[in-house]
Structures are given as C-alpha cells and as structure tokens.
Amino acid sequence: MSKVLVTGGAGFIGSNLVDQLVQDGDEVIVVDDLSMGLASNIPSSPKVTFYEHSITDHGFMKDLLLKEQFDYIYLLAAIASVADSVARPYETHQINQEANVFILETIRQNKLPVKKVLFTSSAAVYGNNPELPKHEDSTIDPLTPYAIDKFATERFVIDYGKLYNISTVAVRFFNVYGPRQNPKSPYSGVLSLITQCFKNNQVFSLFGDGEQTRDFIFIQDVLSALHLIMTNNQAVHDVYNVATGKQSSLRTIITDYQKVVGQPLQVKTITARAGDIKHSYADIAKLSQLGFTPQYTLLNGLTDYWISVKEDFLGEQE
Ligand code: UD1
C-alpha cells in the first residue's frame, strides 16, 4: 500500500485516478479547491482524505507534504481551460506553474522521500506546429498562458528532478474523454458537449466541416498509461505523449456515437472556431515501449461513457 497525493483529485481525470488508486489499495489524499471539480466526484472511502484547498496555499501544502511523506505525487490541479488562462494569465501562472514549483521546492529542501512525482501537461504545448504525428521532441509552440505554463512546468519538473535527484516525470495528454468530464463551458471537451446534447436533446454546434481530426483517448486507457509511467523506473526525467496514436474526424465520431446512443444527433454547422488546428494526433512510440497498448476503440469508449451518463441520469430521476 502506498500513500498518494492527487492534486486536482475532484476533477474529471483526477477523480477517475483516485477511484483507480483506491481499488489498487492505496491511501489517497486529495487537494482540490473545487473551482472545476466536484466533491461528489471523490469516492467516499476510508482510504481517501479530501482537503478543499488551493494548491497555491503554500503554507498548507508544505505542512501537508511534511506531515504525510507521500510515496507518489500526481500533479493534476490546474486552470484546465485554455480560454480561462487567456482571461486570467497571472492567476493561471500561479496555479499551473508556481504552485507546482513550490511543491518541488518543498521536496528538495526537506529531502522528502517521494518515490515519484508525475506532472500532467498537454498537447497544447505543440500549438500550431503542423508536423504530424506529434513526437515528444517535435517543435514546441505554446501560444497561450495555459500552454506556456504547462511547457515551462514540464521543464521545471524534469530538470529539477535531474538537478536534485528527485524521481520526476511529465505527460502530455491529448483529447481525453469519459465519465465525469465537465460539459459546463463552451470550451469543454467536444465529446462532453456532444454527450450533453444527446442527453438533453439539444442541437450540437459543429465548427467547420467536421473533417478536423483529434487523438481521442478514453479515460481508462489514460489511467493504464499513468500507472505504467508511475511504476516503471525507466520512465524518469522525461515526457510522454498520452494518446492512442490514432486520429478520428469529428464526423466519424458523431456517426459512431449515434450508433452507441441509438438516436441521431441534431447538428448545426457553423464557421470553424478561430485558432482551431485542423489535425492532431500523437506518436506514442515512447509510451508503447513501456508496454502501453490502448484497450478502448472509440466505439467501446463511447459505449462506456454513454452507459455512465445514463446511470447518472436515472439516478437523478429517482
Ligand atoms: C484543445 C483544448 C483547447 C486548446 C487546444 C489547443 C480542450 C477541451 N480543448 O482543443 O482549449 O485550445 O486543445 O491544443 O482541452 N468543436 C465543435 N463544437 C463544439 C466544440 C468543439 O465542433 O461545440 C470542435 C472544435 O472546433 C475542434 C474539435 O471539436 O475542432 C475538438 O475540440 P476540443 O474538444 O475543444 O479539443 P481541441 O480542439 O483539441
């Protein structure tokens, strides 16, 4: 049994990770300010302790790190919306970078015996670089405060680890989807928005011709990837794309999802979103070398996602 810290553990990816860690028998401490996540996402288990706190509260974080002496640390807490980061660049920086550097600094200064620290970055660091697929060493082109801080923090995490002999690693998530993804903002992940449209019989606004492609990865595959990266001693002081290596167009996805739900999606086509990239998918050779193979096709992932939405929906009606 390990003691694990998950910052951002009430969010979409974080709370699914907490579920998995609890199933694996770990003791989990969650720090989340609920700015995006929900307390109800966190499993109620004697193995989980939840602190409703911002990671920017340095005094709190230092006390927690010294007291708990974590084995593993997952850094997921962030302003997760690119649009939000453009509206609040300095606050983004304090959360997405500074708070994480402070955690590293606390580990360094106090020689904390952490086995590994994993930082979660994003494919947004590749920006408009047209090279496909995106390799970890492809040109970086961070275009927003979100992408800048994600990239800078990757570097901090990796180089701090090398300089001060702390086991660290970073991942770049591509388009993750699955249960508990929050569809509240127009900038939410497209699959959460489509899901919401199916659920509430709303019209989905398709930006552009629908031929744009993304590398969509189901949350369970993300959890397998994180587990491999966290537990493999070779995966250290490095960055890994977390994706499937396959590109799917929005049109294909809509067709597949309609099959899963068994009803047509109402679609309104509007002008392409400003700044949107046309195609994105990852080279996952590095992750594959650790033994990763995605287990979920889009059809399987969408099926599980839809089942979870229907269960919640029926739960709400009871
Ligand atoms: C992701 C980020 C985005 C960031 C970009 C840069 C998420 C949810 N989005 O965008 O903030 O700027 O990476 O790397 O992490 N779409 C529609 N209708 C909608 C919403 C989206 O047609 O209502 C389309 C978009 O135009 C896009 C595709 O769906 O072509 C996917 O959109 P999205 O889920 O936002 O992901 P990214 O574009 O990869």
Side-chain angles (χ1 to χ4, degrees), residues 82 124 175 187 189-190 193 204-205 207 212 214 250 273 276:
V82 173
N175 295 68
Y187 299 100
V190 69
L193 297 171
F204 172 67
S205 300
F207 301 140
Q212 64 265 53
R214 294 292 184 272
L250 269 190
R273 190 162 68 177
D276 243 23

Side-chain angles (χ1 to χ4, degrees), residues 80-83 122-127 144 146 174-175 181 186-191 193-194 204-208 210 212-214 216 250 272-273 275-278 280:
S81 154
V82 173
S122 159
V125 302
Y126 297 113
T144 58
Y146 176 80
F174 279 65
N175 295 68
Q181 194 169 9
Y187 299 100
S188 295
V190 69
L191 279 173
L193 297 171
I194 294 178
F204 172 67
S205 300
L206 176 63
F207 301 140
Q212 64 265 53
T213 60
R214 294 292 184 272
F216 287 97
L250 269 190
R273 190 162 68 177
D276 243 23
I277 50 169
K278 188 77 182 173
S280 158

Side-chain angles (χ1 to χ4, degrees), residues 109-241:
Q109 281 188 345
N110 299 282
K111 300 190 168 48
L112 296 180
V114 57
K115 291 184 181 138
K116 202 181 262 187
V117 180
L118 184 151
F119 172 69
T120 54
S121 177
S122 159
V125 302
Y126 297 113
N128 281 334
N129 169 14
E131 185 185 332
L132 285 174
K134 318 274 190 198
H135 297 264
E136 286 85 350
D137 53 7
S138 293
T139 306
I140 293 301
D141 185 19
L143 299 169
T144 58
Y146 176 80
I148 293 165
D149 280 319
K150 283 293 183 188
F151 182 63
T153 309
E154 276 180 22
R155 295 311 323 172
F156 248 114
V157 165
I158 292 168
D159 291 322
Y160 226 82
K162 280 188 202 159
L163 278 170
Y164 305 113
N165 202 21
I166 303 166
S167 178
T168 55
V169 73
V171 298
R172 292 179 185 153
F173 289 139
F174 279 65
N175 295 68
V176 184
Y177 71 99
R180 303 200 195 122
Q181 194 169 9
N182 185 340
K184 293 283 141 55
S185 140
Y187 299 100
S188 295
V190 69
L191 279 173
S192 70
L193 297 171
I194 294 178
T195 302
Q196 183 169 250
C197 289
F198 273 124
K199 184 178 157 191
N200 301 335
N201 264 317
Q202 290 161 341
V203 179
F204 172 67
S205 300
L206 176 63
F207 301 140
D209 58 9
E211 297 306 325
Q212 64 265 53
T213 60
R214 294 292 184 272
D215 191 332
F216 287 97
I217 178 164
F218 189 58
I219 182 70
Q220 289 303 325
D221 278 332
V222 169
L223 299 183
S224 309
L226 293 183
H227 181 75
L228 278 173
I229 293 166
M230 198 53 133
T231 52
N232 189 318
N233 290 335
Q234 305 299 316
V236 70
H237 305 154
D238 210 345
V239 62
Y240 290 84
N241 284 339

